[in-house]
Structures are given as structure tokens and as C-alpha cells.
Amino acid sequence: MDLSPVVFADRPDLHEQADAIFSAGWPEFIFHDPVADQFLDRVREYFRQLSLLLLDDDGRIAAGGWGVAVRWDGSIGGLPGGYDDALRQAVELREAGGEADTLVIGAAQVRSDLQGQGVAAAMLRQLADAGVRAGLVRVIAPVRPALKARYPLTPMARFMTWTRSDGLPLDPWLRTHRRMGARLLGPAERSMVMCGSVAEWEGWAGMPLPDSGPYVVAGALAPVEVDRERDVGVLAEPNVWVRHR
């Protein structure tokens, strides 16, 4: 299959198709990250050349992905706190007139009927190439492992060490990155933080949450912490930092 990259902003005729493809299959709570709500409009404006689509031979969207540009010193301790913090750092650096040197891949997703055919790796390579064109010398990503929701009680620092008999990660999304030569750097314990009232969380989770305390919610990578006295539920999702370059 020949895949052609295009800049997302240059193809408004594909935006409705993109919304349908890339919103499918995600749990509702993932769309209620207040930090993302605060910064994503500016991310789209400031980093339009880092938001790409891959089109198949018929001109349909095969995959999409985007990233932001931050300044990183290459150390583990200097990594952003996770997905949310990378968005914040990228926007604030841009607005301060600072010079970025690192691409943070925020997301990459493949059309459901093309998964498992190497399209994800092709999308990641295109994003890395876009970073090179933007003068960014490093490539990192806060990866949301595909299987972690099956093990919400297992710390991410432990989950990321689980391997198959061939030594590659048990998780298929981490495995894709490793096969491309990426290194797993460590967990981002509070990569995305989703907040809502108890009633909102009951709607997102599709289950009653009658007491304060932690709850295992379908699709969540960690337990949701509910405080009924304060009428709030919080999900702090961990990711895994990987480095491609």
C-alpha cells in the first residue's frame, strides 16, 4: 500500500472523516482532560506542520498523528510530566519566543481495518520526519499502552517491564515503538488527568459510584478516585515515556 502524507490543516475536506475515525473506540472520559481543553486549540494553531494524515491509494485516511515542540535537555529528570505537561510546555515556550529542540508525539492512530499492518510505524516515521523538517533533534512520546486498561491496579513502572518470550514488551503499542528502535525511558505517572463531578463520572463510567474511594472503570489505566463529599472524581492516567531519537 502506498501511503501519502498530508498536513491536516491543508485538507479541511478530510476533517469530518478524521473526526469519525479518531474518536471511535475511546472511552468518554478521555475527552474530559481540562489541560488538553485549555491548550489544544493553540497546539493546532502553533504546530500545524506537526499534525499529519496518511492517505491510502483511494485518498482515504489510513492514519493520523500530531506532535508539539518542546525544549528538553535529554535527561530523565528533565522530561515533561507527561502528555498534559508537554502541551503546556510547548504552548508556553512558543508564546515566550523560546527555541524548541524536541518533538513530542502527542498521538498516532490507525484506521481500525488497517491495524497490525505496519501503518502505525509508518505514521510515527512521518511524524519524526516532520520534526526534522522543523529543526527538532530529538523525538519522544508519552505512550498510552494498549493493554494497560486490563491491569489498572498494576503500577505502570511494573507493567512496562512485562515482556514476551522474545524479549519484546507484552504491550503491542510499546512493542511497535521498541521494534522501531525506541527506548523506554520510564513512567509518566500523571500524564493525563481527567476530572469531573461524581454524576459526570457515573455517566462516563456507566456505573454507580456510591461511596468515596477508588474504582476500576472500563478503559481506564488506573483507578478513578472518587470523593463524594467534594463531589469530584479524578483519574490520573500514567503513560510511558519512550525516546526514538
Side-chain angles (χ1 to χ4, degrees):
M1 181 192 311
D2 290 327
L3 297 173
S4 304
V6 296
V7 173
F8 178 80
D10 292 345
R11 293 297 305 269
D13 57 306
L14 295 174
H15 289 184
E16 185 175 346
Q17 183 186 150
D19 287 343
I21 291 173
F22 301 136
S23 63
W26 290 99
E28 176 60 30
F29 60 75
I30 210 76
F31 303 109
H32 298 278
D33 178 345
V35 174
D37 289 344
Q38 179 182 357
F39 291 110
L40 274 178
D41 284 345
R42 282 177 285 175
V43 164
R44 296 185 185 101
E45 176 186 353
Y46 296 161
F47 306 107
R48 64 189 305 276
Q49 297 302 318
L50 300 177
S51 181
L52 306 177
L53 299 171
L54 285 184
L55 307 185
D56 64 16
D57 298 332
D58 298 322
R60 296 178 61 209
I61 297 172
W66 58 271
V68 296
V70 303
R71 188 160 190 84
W72 177 49
D73 62 9
S75 70
I76 300 295
L79 284 165
Y83 172 89
D84 287 348
D85 194 41
L87 300 188
R88 179 190 63 77
Q89 287 191 27
V91 168
E92 291 179 354
L93 182 68
R94 175 66 176 264
E95 292 180 343
E99 184 176 350
D101 57 15
T102 300
L103 170 68
V104 179
I105 296 175
Q109 189 168 344
V110 176
R111 202 175 74 207
S112 59
D113 61 305
L114 296 178
Q115 292 176 4
Q117 301 182 39
V119 179
M123 185 73 254
L124 293 171
R125 283 191 291 268
Q126 288 291 339
L127 290 169
D129 290 346
V132 170
R133 292 191 294 272
L136 306 174
V137 299
R138 303 184 184 92
V139 179
I140 57 177
V143 175
R144 189 177 191 269
L147 295 185
K148 180 62 173 71
R150 299 183 186 180
Y151 307 95
L153 303 182
T154 301
M156 185 64 88
R158 179 61 180 162
F159 177 86
M160 63 181 285
T161 68
W162 291 355
T163 58
R164 307 187 309 179
S165 59
D166 61 3
L168 289 172
L170 176 68
D171 184 79
W173 193 212
L174 290 177
R175 199 159 60 240
T176 294
H177 288 269
R178 281 289 294 119
R179 280 176 169 153
M180 295 178 66
R183 291 186 291 122
L184 308 188
L185 300 180
E189 295 294 353
R190 295 177 64 85
S191 189
M192 296 181 69
V193 179
M194 278 69 71
C195 302
S197 68
V198 174
E200 286 174 328
W201 267 107
E202 288 181 331
W204 301 340
M207 58 189 278
L209 305 170
D211 287 325
S212 294
Y215 288 85
V216 172
V217 169
L221 306 195
V224 177
E225 296 290 341
V226 169
D227 186 332
R228 291 196 65 90
E229 289 186 4
R230 296 175 53 229
D231 189 27
V232 64
V234 178
L235 170 60
E237 279 210 335
N239 287 172
V240 178
W241 277 113
V242 306
R243 179 175 182 175
H244 282 264
R245 189 171 64 236

